[in-house]
Amino acid sequence: AQSVTQLDSQVPVFEEAPVELRCNYSSSVSVYLFWYVQYPNQGLQLLLKYLSGSTLVKGINGFEAEFNKSQTSFHLRKPSVHISDTAEYFCAVLSYNNNDMRFGAGTRLTVKP
Amino acid sequence: KAGVTQTPRYLIKTRGQQVTLSCSPISGHRSVSWYQQTPGQGLQFLFEYFSETQRNKGNFPGRFSGRQFSNSRSEMNVSTLELGDSALYLCASSLVFGQGETQYFGPGTRLLVL
């Protein structure tokens, strides 16, 4: 079975600074990769996903992520964050063959003025 | 297009009771998945239904069950509630499950077991 590790449980950052949220996964089979965002008292919203092809994936709200197969990583980045980006971010993997969906523990991004 | 809706949004039950949660997927979506979210265990996959059939199941006890109706609406039932069942229960819908399809999540039902 696959697993997902989000290396930082909390990331504080100042407004307009760049941010990187780290995600590593482990799997014996090929996987699809996702980043979701969860605002307080809401469900999850898809930011971006990697299925195949170009390893640099662009998503909504100015976020992007890079798939690195050799390092089994899928880090999320944004060059300049806003207060409104304060939320919980989840990395997830879905295996090709058995539809087993696993989420990381989440990273709480707090953007300070 | 309306999003995924879940009812009720909040629920308080006592140990030993049972509870039924409801999920209405986005129109045209035939796959409905359920997840449990807790501070300690994070997001865990419960099960997935497609065309009224359970096709995938997570590692949860048999007290957790579900069903899907012909209109793709889904219900989740938890019997003999335990304190540890207190959680946010999220429902997600997609055209199909897997194959990289995007899942669209509802706002969740927050269950508190006393």
Side-chain angles (χ1 to χ4, degrees), chain B residues 14 16-17 34 40 49 52 54 58 61-63 66 83 89 102:
Chain B
T14 56
Q17 286 187 310
W34 289 90
Y49 285 85
E52 302 178 65
Q54 186 184 91
R63 300 185 297 106
L83 295 180
Y89 290 89
T102 297

Side-chain angles (χ1 to χ4, degrees), chain B residues 30-106:
Chain B
R30 297 169 65 188
S31 171
V32 174
S33 302
W34 289 90
Y35 296 86
Q36 181 195 65
Q37 186 177 22
T38 60
Q41 300 296 319
L43 270 159
Q44 293 184 284
F45 172 72
L46 279 157
F47 31 65
E48 182 258 344
Y49 285 85
F50 183 85
S51 292
E52 302 178 65
T53 301
Q54 186 184 91
R55 298 190 310 169
N56 297 284
K57 191 176 190 306
N59 189 24
F60 276 82
R63 300 185 297 106
F64 291 82
S65 63
R67 59 178 176 168
Q68 187 181 34
F69 302 95
S70 58
N71 62 357
S72 293
R73 189 177 70 86
S74 177
E75 288 182 347
M76 191 194 96
N77 185 274
V78 187
S79 62
T80 319
L81 284 165
E82 300 177 359
L83 295 180
D85 296 333
S86 294
L88 180 66
Y89 290 89
L90 293 165
C91 163
S93 80
S94 55
L95 289 169
V96 295
F97 186 75
Q99 301 172 34
E101 274 291 326
T102 297
Q103 290 191 295
Y104 295 87
F105 284 80

Side-chain angles (χ1 to χ4, degrees), chain A residues 32 34 36 38 41-46 49 51 88 90 94-96 98-105, chain B residues 9-10 35 37 42-45 55-56 88 90 97-108 110:
Chain A
Y32 304 108
F34 305 81
Y36 284 89
Q38 186 176 33
N41 299 314
Q42 294 187 28
L44 277 67
Q45 179 184 5
L46 181 72
K49 61 182 179 182
L51 304 183
E88 189 97 19
F90 293 92
L94 174 66
S95 67
Y96 274 25
N98 67 2
N99 288 336
D100 187 5
M101 184 85 161
R102 300 292 175 102
F103 285 84
Chain B
R9 292 291 312 276
Y10 303 92
Y35 296 86
Q37 186 177 22
L43 270 159
Q44 293 184 284
F45 172 72
R55 298 190 310 169
N56 297 284
L88 180 66
L90 293 165
F97 186 75
Q99 301 172 34
E101 274 291 326
T102 297
Q103 290 191 295
Y104 295 87
F105 284 80
R110 188 166 295 281

